[in-house]
Amino acid sequence: MEAFRQEIILSSVFIYLVICIGVGIWAMRRTKNANDFFVAGKGLGPIVVSLAVFSSTLSGFGFVGGPGLVYATGLSSMWMVVTSALGYATGFYLISKRIRMIAEVRDTVSMPDVVFARYGSEAARLLTAGTILLGVLGYLATQILAMALVLQSILTGTEMFADVSLVMCVVMSSTVLIFYCVTGGVIASVYTDLVQGLVMIVSGALVVITAAHVFDGGFSEVSNILLSNGGEDIMPFGTLGAMASLTWFFLFGLGLAGQPHIATKLMMNRKISDNRIILPMTIFGYVIAAMLWISVGVVMRALVLGDVGMPLASPDQAAPMFLTTYAHPLLAGVVFAGLFAAIMSTADSFLNIGAAALIHDIPKSIRGKVLDNELFWARVATVGLAVLASFFALYSYYENGDLVGLLGAFGWATFAAALVPVVLIGLNWKQASSTAAIVAISSSLIINFGIAVFKIQIPYNISAGFLAMLVSMILFIVISLLAKPKQLPHDIDRIMDL
Amino acid sequence: MKSIHFVLLFLLIIAGITGYILLTEPPVGAAGVPHATIQGMSAGGDGAARLATIGKAPFYFQIIVILLAVSLLTMAVHERLRDTRFYVLMGSATAFALFVWYKVYSGYEAYLATGETDIVFGFPVPTTWMLWGIWGSFVLFDLIFVFFFRNYFYTHEDEQAFEQLVAELNAEKDSAAKQGDA
């Protein structure tokens, strides 16, 4: 079987991609209008929603970038993972009920729609849509880059495609993604998430078992190797130190509810009472799948530092290299499909919310009405965004050498800093004002992008996204407290009382 | 004081601690140093030296972050529904989260002081507390949501009130549509 390793891996990935295309064609028949395209008619059951929520959270950023970060910096990035229980708690406590209620009474299809319903401000809606577009481009680029790197690592192992370029891999992988997103919209997205979530859970569990057997002494031997080579990497704060780790905890723990690709999924469930089932299933799926993040990363680091394996050309090669070298061919096939699943399940969500921002929210806030033939333009926007993000991905990789994990963290920070105060606090505090929302979003974008564009190094590697989120939250509350309270629309006022 | 005031207070304290840290002179390798021979990999260097200039600031920082998180979570439950049991549940979960954080940080400090640590469940003791304890302590808040959903988060009365609101709004829409047709 070892002789057919590459063929098995390629076949597994091919079967998975065919399933995605099949789901796209099936979903196309169920997508009759823009409401179906963007929020699946708000009729999804708890299993579909929970798998969609967790698989959208743990993306190529987690499955490819995560192991890469652990390989490069030890356990610093684990603070992005261990905060998941808090992240989901904030999401379900603070927004799941009201965002679903607003979706019901206002027929909203996107986060900017919810922001408009809450604040009655077109400027706030426009800024939210703009933020989503900016974040989507960065985050989607992360997914496309991760997908292409994984595909390239598979294809270069074959004789026929040994010299395949990264550009060609971007084209091939994006084509499948675009196909099922354009044809089936969010229905295809959430039902492929169902398949993808299951594949991710199986992959995560199997990879941990495999990783535990790379060294005879299991993870204890891994820890001993790392402890004898400095040791900071296997201690709680990794090589980046305490403040880098803790500011990531803040950003990821409190920032999850501000991620539009996740929050939007909470608008799609059939019943609000399903949330009590969705939450534990989401956490269970996430924890199992996230084990790949730590197990592959520490094992690859120990292999290199223990002089057992060769250093990687790039930390992002950690997961693909582990699978091609140490996993059983059948397992490698399943897990490679899982890697694609993780990446695509998030990428399709971004294409969906990005298209909604572009052809639904921005025209609505500028013209006061949506475009004619919204469904057609949604599909055009989906293709355009994917192509643009592909260029951005290649630019980031070749010009800046950015790691997938760090690109992903930047995308997460853009959303968290801008939208957490506006959505998470705003949906739970009647006094929150539209002026505060506008200032919070604007300030977060200025800080986040200012630090990135001017390449400002923050001491102790404190997260720029954390600083942006901290400032935006403080400004949001202070400005709202100083403003004269306004009467909310009747329906929103009653929802805020529940 | 309402929950939002606690949220603001904790945010300001976090800003203060962050400001203090940013004003100190970071030691060499405060955020890791490139590995001497392996490209793309960083090394941690001297952990104690990295904390020398900021002391226990990270420890206090995280305590306030935990309290901020709990204040935010409390905002989700309407004041009329917050009874003694609710505060006991949230208080117990908070105490456990703070205990776990103490175990993580004190274990790390002990390692920095002695250079030694035991391995439990495959990882050094403070790391095991971090991987399972931090995650597990916040799972308690998720369990409160699951088991007390109908008590605090979406009561049957809330459900009825929402259904009534939807029915009223639909009736208004129907009425407006009929007037438009007429």
Side-chain angles (χ1 to χ4, degrees):
Chain A
M1 192 172 284
E2 191 60 41
F4 299 103
R5 169 178 282 273
Q6 289 307 117
E7 287 76 5
I8 291 169
I9 293 172
L10 269 176
S11 303
S12 303
V13 172
F14 181 74
I15 290 167
Y16 164 75
L17 294 177
V18 168
I19 290 173
C20 287
I21 291 169
V23 172
I25 293 168
W26 169 79
M28 184 166 62
R29 294 182 189 146
R30 292 185 58 180
T31 304
K32 296 181 174 60
N33 54 45
N35 203 306
D36 290 336
F37 194 88
F38 291 128
V39 287
K42 305 181 195 79
L44 300 176
I47 294 175
V48 178
V49 175
S50 59
L51 284 168
V53 170
F54 111 74
S55 62
S56 301
T57 315
L58 195 68
S59 54
F61 164 30
F63 260 40
V64 178
L69 281 178
V70 174
Y71 171 84
T73 65
L75 295 189
S76 305
S77 67
M78 287 317 294
W79 289 87
M80 299 178 188
V81 180
V82 296
T83 193
S84 61
L86 170 62
Y88 286 124
T90 54
F92 280 82
Y93 271 60
L94 289 153
I95 68 165
S96 65
K97 179 174 70 179
R98 295 206 173 100
I99 205 169
R100 179 64 183 81
M101 286 177 167
I102 291 173
E104 178 89 31
V105 301
R106 292 291 187 98
D107 208 19
T108 57
V109 300
S110 64
M111 186 86 109
D113 270 353
V114 173
V115 169
F116 176 76
R118 167 61 185 83
Y119 296 99
S121 162
E122 290 292 4
R125 189 213 296 262
L126 185 62
L127 268 174
T128 307
T131 303
I132 288 174
L133 263 185
L134 286 172
V136 159
L137 279 179
Y139 222 141
L140 191 56
T142 311
Q143 310 307 317
I144 289 172
L145 179 58
M147 199 158 50
L149 285 168
V150 173
L151 187 61
Q152 191 182 34
S153 72
I154 298 172
L155 292 177
T156 48
T158 62
E159 281 184 26
M160 191 184 295
F161 300 106
D163 297 322
V164 68
S165 69
L166 190 67
V167 176
M168 182 52 70
C169 292
V170 165
V171 172
M172 285 193 282
S173 50
S174 300
T175 302
V176 175
L177 177 71
I178 291 171
F179 177 81
Y180 81 78
C181 286
V182 167
T183 51
V186 83
I187 296 179
S189 167
V190 293
Y191 280 97
T192 48
D193 282 355
L194 184 69
V195 178
Q196 289 156 351
L198 292 171
V199 174
M200 286 162 70
I201 290 172
V202 172
S203 303
L206 293 177
V207 163
V208 172
I209 296 167
T210 306
H213 289 88
V214 170
F215 290 95
D216 290 340
F219 286 117
S220 296
E221 190 173 340
V222 170
S223 292
N224 281 322
I225 290 170
L226 297 178
L227 282 169
S228 62
N229 279 276
E232 278 291 296
D233 47 3
I234 196 68
M235 294 311 282
F237 305 114
T239 66
L240 297 182
M243 288 314 297
S245 304
L246 297 178
T247 51
W248 270 343
F249 179 90
F250 181 101
L251 183 65
F252 282 76
L254 301 179
L256 188 139
Q259 304 301 310
H261 58 297
I262 299 168
T264 309
K265 299 278 190 321
L266 299 175
M267 283 196 260
M268 298 176 189
N269 53 340
R270 202 176 298 143
K271 291 188 296 182
I272 294 170
S273 55
D274 284 347
N275 283 332
R276 69 188 304 187
I277 308 167
I278 296 170
L279 174 59
M281 286 200 295
T282 301
I283 292 175
F284 173 78
Y286 183 91
V287 167
I288 301 292
M291 286 182 177
L292 186 146
W293 184 322
I294 179 172
S295 57
V296 170
V298 291
V299 166
M300 289 305 291
R301 190 174 170 101
L303 284 165
V304 173
L305 287 176
D307 293 329
V308 181
M310 293 289 288
L312 302 177
S314 159
D316 285 334
Q317 290 294 332
M321 184 61 77
F322 174 84
L323 292 171
T324 50
T325 312
Y326 298 100
H328 184 278
L330 276 177
L331 171 64
V334 173
V335 180
F336 266 115
L339 290 183
F340 272 91
I343 297 163
M344 286 183 158
S345 60
T346 305
D348 57 27
S349 303
F350 282 121
L351 280 176
N352 192 259
I353 60 168
L358 204 56
I359 62 99
H360 176 84
D361 301 310
I362 292 177
K364 224 173 170 180
S365 52
I366 294 174
R367 305 166 69 215
K369 60 178 185 176
V370 297
L371 297 175
D372 297 331
N373 200 355
E374 207 177 13
L375 182 57
F376 168 76
W377 288 111
R379 287 175 164 145
V380 172
T382 302
V383 176
L385 277 173
V387 172
L388 197 58
S390 299
F391 280 113
F392 185 51
L394 290 168
Y395 172 80
S396 296
Y397 189 76
Y398 286 118
E399 293 298 317
N400 296 333
D402 287 338
L403 295 182
V404 170
L406 295 179
L407 267 178
F410 180 74
W412 182 284
T414 303
F415 290 137
L419 302 179
V420 160
V422 177
V423 178
L424 188 140
I425 299 177
L427 287 181
N428 293 278
W429 185 38
K430 284 189 180 183
Q431 202 175 329
S433 75
S434 58
T435 307
I438 291 166
V439 172
I441 296 173
S442 308
S443 64
S444 74
L445 292 178
I446 290 168
I447 296 170
N448 243 333
F449 282 84
I451 290 173
V453 169
F454 295 108
K455 299 185 187 301
I456 298 169
Q457 290 292 321
I458 304 172
Y460 299 95
N461 234 331
I462 286 174
S463 157
F466 155 76
L467 290 179
M469 191 169 153
L470 182 65
V471 170
S472 74
M473 287 175 86
I474 291 173
L475 286 175
F476 181 79
I477 297 173
V478 170
I479 292 171
S480 295
L481 284 172
L482 293 175
K484 193 179 167 189
K486 274 186 182 171
Q487 183 65 41
L488 293 171
H490 177 62
D491 54 346
I492 301 298
D493 190 56
R494 280 175 65 178
I495 286 173
M496 298 279 281
D497 280 332
L498 298 176
Chain B
M1 273 174 90
K2 292 186 171 181
S3 298
I4 192 71
H5 298 125
F6 282 108
V7 170
L8 180 59
L9 176 67
F10 293 135
L11 284 169
L12 291 173
I13 296 173
I14 289 168
I17 296 173
T18 307
Y20 162 74
I21 291 169
L22 290 175
L23 288 174
T24 62
E25 184 64 36
V28 176
V33 289
H35 194 280
T37 54
I38 301 170
Q39 189 194 351
M41 192 182 272
S42 79
D46 184 343
R50 294 201 296 178
L51 289 174
T53 50
I54 57 175
K56 287 177 86 82
F59 178 68
Y60 298 120
F61 176 94
Q62 184 68 356
I63 287 176
I64 305 300
V65 169
I66 291 169
L67 295 176
L68 167 69
V70 176
S71 303
L72 282 168
L73 294 178
T74 304
M75 282 180 71
V77 177
H78 201 282
E79 284 176 26
R80 69 183 150 80
L81 296 172
R82 294 181 207 160
D83 55 14
T84 307
R85 182 178 60 181
F86 173 73
Y87 286 113
V88 169
L89 286 167
M90 295 296 279
S92 305
T94 307
F96 185 61
L98 291 171
F99 169 73
V100 168
W101 167 239
Y102 169 76
K103 295 299 288 182
V104 172
Y105 202 81
S106 62
Y108 179 58
E109 282 183 321
Y111 167 75
L112 292 182
T114 63
E116 291 177 4
T117 179
D118 291 329
I119 305 288
V120 175
F121 298 132
F123 293 98
V125 172
T127 304
T128 299
W129 274 107
M130 184 269 277
L131 290 175
W132 295 107
I134 297 279
W135 180 83
S137 63
F138 286 101
V139 162
L140 292 182
F141 293 98
D142 297 319
L143 293 176
I144 292 171
F145 183 86
V146 172
F147 289 111
F148 298 93
F149 184 75
R150 287 297 191 182
N151 299 89
Y152 303 120
F153 301 96
Y154 192 49
T155 65
H156 290 291
E157 291 75 26
D158 285 348
E159 189 167 18
Q160 283 173 357
F162 180 62
E163 282 169 3
Q164 192 181 340
L165 172 65
V166 172
E168 284 173 26
L169 293 172
N170 285 339
E172 282 173 23
K173 275 183 202 165
D174 289 345
S175 170
K178 278 177 190 168
Q179 281 179 354
D181 289 344

